[in-house]
Amino acid sequence: MYNYALKKEDSKIFIKHYEIKNGVIEIQLGSGEVYKEPYSEEKEKQLLAIEKAQVNISKMGPFIRRGLIESLGMILLATFFVSLFSQEFFQMENTALNILAGTVSGVGSLFFCSHFIDSVQTARDLKKNKLFLEIEEKINQYGKKDDLQENRVNNLLLGVDSDVRDLGIHYDGSYQLNINQIDALSLKDLKKLRANILSIEYFDQAFSNPVEKEKVHQKKR
């Protein structure tokens, strides 16, 4: 996930992602540092709980506001320098001043775009992770291998890309996901999984209720 810490000091304890290598958990922090711990199942559960909590307490608004404030600050700074240079070098040819002003303005615009785009991407990533938490329980419920519902996993993964399928498929044919895997999924992928979950629930209800079952048949005619 992206770094949702709004303060630099908080980035040092923000968990973006972790990997398990040779019995060691490597934790990528928001500050860019990597923290290592001996692996245990209990520690992994704790990390997943922390990642979920980070998503739950974060909001998208602050990132957009911060991006706008920082970007506007860059533009004001660029404007100040243009004004300063214009006063200091007022005897320079107009062409030189125009080039200088254009260069500074261009740099300011570049910073504006980069800061704003980063903020929008962070907000979008947070939106994706919040959606995952909304449907995580259903994904793992309908992804269980159940002989009584042998097509349930196929229905859950209907129309999703092969990479999404491979991400959560287990040796027994079940499909399970956790918050640490979400970097490999797009918002579009999660929306497709949500749509499939809604379809499963609709048909479960329809075929358990004779009236609804008849309505389904009438729609097919």
Side-chain angles (χ1 to χ4, degrees), residues 15-220:
I15 298 173
K16 292 180 64 178
H17 184 75
Y18 71 82
E19 292 184 7
I20 301 169
K21 298 180 180 179
N22 301 319
V24 175
I25 302 177
E26 296 185 358
I27 307 168
Q28 184 180 357
L29 303 175
S31 61
E33 299 169 311
V34 176
Y35 185 80
K36 297 182 180 181
E37 278 279 341
Y39 174 79
S40 73
E41 187 175 340
E42 184 61 29
K43 286 180 181 177
E44 184 175 14
K45 288 180 179 179
Q46 291 172 351
L47 287 174
L48 290 172
I50 292 171
E51 288 186 340
K52 288 182 182 181
Q54 290 174 163
V55 173
N56 281 325
I57 65 175
S58 298
K59 297 181 180 180
M60 289 175 274
F63 298 107
I64 300 297
R65 290 194 294 272
R66 184 176 66 177
L68 285 171
I69 292 171
E70 291 179 351
S71 301
L72 289 173
M74 290 295 179
I75 290 179
L76 291 174
L77 184 62
T79 302
F80 168 76
F81 276 110
V82 169
S83 175
L84 178 62
F85 285 134
S86 297
Q87 292 176 16
E88 291 291 333
F89 303 103
F90 63 91
Q91 293 179 341
M92 294 174 62
E93 294 290 337
N94 288 338
T95 301
L97 281 176
N98 289 337
I99 293 174
L100 178 62
T103 301
V104 176
S105 178
V107 171
S109 298
L110 181 62
F111 273 107
F112 172 84
C113 291
S114 63
H115 277 275
F116 186 69
I117 289 173
D118 285 346
S119 297
V120 170
Q121 289 178 337
T122 301
R124 182 176 176 83
D125 185 75
L126 178 56
K127 179 180 180 180
K128 179 187 75 172
N129 286 323
K130 283 184 177 293
L131 173 58
F132 173 75
L133 293 186
E134 289 178 12
I135 63 176
E136 178 187 19
E137 184 178 349
K138 294 293 185 180
I139 290 174
N140 293 329
Q141 175 186 341
Y142 296 143
K144 289 181 180 178
K145 187 65 176 177
D146 188 347
D147 293 335
L148 297 177
Q149 294 281 358
E150 59 182 277
N151 293 318
R152 183 59 61 82
V153 175
N154 290 332
N155 290 336
L156 175 66
L157 300 177
L158 188 65
V160 303
D161 294 335
S162 59
D163 290 344
V164 179
R165 288 174 170 266
D166 294 342
L167 183 64
I169 284 291
H170 288 210
Y171 68 92
D172 62 352
S174 63
Y175 189 81
Q176 304 288 292
L177 289 177
N178 64 56
I179 189 68
N180 194 60
Q181 297 171 294
I182 297 308
D183 285 346
L185 294 179
S186 67
L187 182 59
K188 180 181 178 182
D189 294 329
L190 288 176
K191 287 182 177 179
K192 181 59 181 174
L193 287 171
R194 179 177 62 181
N196 290 344
I197 287 171
L198 292 175
S199 294
I200 291 172
E201 292 179 338
Y202 173 77
F203 284 105
D204 278 354
Q205 182 180 5
F207 292 121
S208 64
N209 186 320
V211 176
E212 292 296 327
K213 182 176 180 180
E214 181 59 27
K215 287 181 181 179
V216 172
H217 284 301
Q218 289 177 356
K219 288 181 180 179
K220 289 182 178 181

Side-chain angles (χ1 to χ4, degrees), residues 7-18:
K7 297 180 180 179
K8 187 175 181 179
E9 55 268 27
D10 292 338
S11 296
K12 296 180 179 181
I13 57 173
F14 184 91
I15 298 173
K16 292 180 64 178
H17 184 75
Y18 71 82

